[in-house]
Amino acid sequence: MLKAEQLSLSRQLDLVFKELEAELGNLSSGTVFIQIRNNVVGKFGIRHNPIAGRNGQLSDDDEGLNAGQLQAFRNMAIEALKFKKSWTHGEISYEFALRQGTIVVDATLESNYNMANLMIRYPRTSHTYGTYGEWKDLS
């Protein structure tokens, strides 16, 4: 059995979109989010508000993504990975909407870093700190 860390990030995204396919088929807008840790997809899902209110009435969207729009969305999501540079932890959000039958997608890539990891990589030395432990200007 393959583990997630053995799959490329693009292949993991492909699996995410397969899992979300039924839900996306009922939506005309929302945000797909994918949380990444060590280049492995962890939590993922969709943020949406499928109930629209007009003139005091609530109703569901009548139209969701069709197979062609879903495929285009998936392709754009995977293509956006080309903009991910050198970070291994973070979140990618894909805001999507149907506009006159065409899917429009905006991708936001967010990198996350952990200060504790930096402190291990750059240990405290006497030349980095002043007499009382404050940071010296290293510029």
Side-chain angles (χ1 to χ4, degrees):
M1 175 179 258
L2 279 176
K3 295 181 180 179
E5 56 270 9
Q6 295 173 302
L7 299 174
S8 69
L9 199 49
S10 59
R11 180 68 180 120
Q12 292 175 64
L13 267 182
D14 189 44
L15 293 171
V16 165
F17 274 84
K18 281 187 184 355
E19 183 66 26
L20 297 176
E21 191 173 298
E23 190 174 356
L24 288 168
N26 294 314
L27 300 174
S28 60
S29 66
T31 303
V32 171
F33 67 89
I34 299 165
Q35 294 180 350
I36 300 169
R37 183 168 178 81
N38 290 323
N39 278 330
V40 175
V41 172
K43 188 170 113 176
F44 62 90
I46 304 172
R47 293 181 187 105
H48 61 88
N49 186 2
I51 302 169
R54 294 186 197 270
N55 296 325
Q57 300 292 318
L58 296 177
S59 64
D60 289 335
D61 282 341
D62 293 334
E63 179 183 335
L65 301 181
N66 64 33
Q69 293 160 338
L70 253 165
Q71 184 64 33
F73 187 2
R74 181 193 148 283
N75 291 344
M76 286 186 277
I78 291 171
E79 188 71 19
L81 287 177
K82 291 179 180 176
F83 295 93
K84 178 185 167 296
K85 305 286 186 211
S86 73
W87 54 269
T88 59
H89 294 62
E91 181 172 303
I92 303 175
S93 297
Y94 302 100
E95 191 173 324
F96 69 95
L98 283 178
R99 302 277 187 253
Q100 299 174 345
T102 301
I103 182 124
V104 177
V105 177
D106 288 326
T108 303
L109 285 74
E110 173 187 310
S111 60
N112 297 150
Y113 297 90
N114 186 325
M115 193 62 176
N117 291 340
L118 288 178
M119 299 312 286
I120 292 167
R121 196 176 319 154
Y122 304 108
R124 188 171 155 168
T125 61
S126 61
H127 68 276
T128 308
Y129 294 90
T131 307
Y132 299 104
E134 73 274 4
W135 286 95
K136 285 185 179 178
D137 185 9
L138 299 177
S139 53

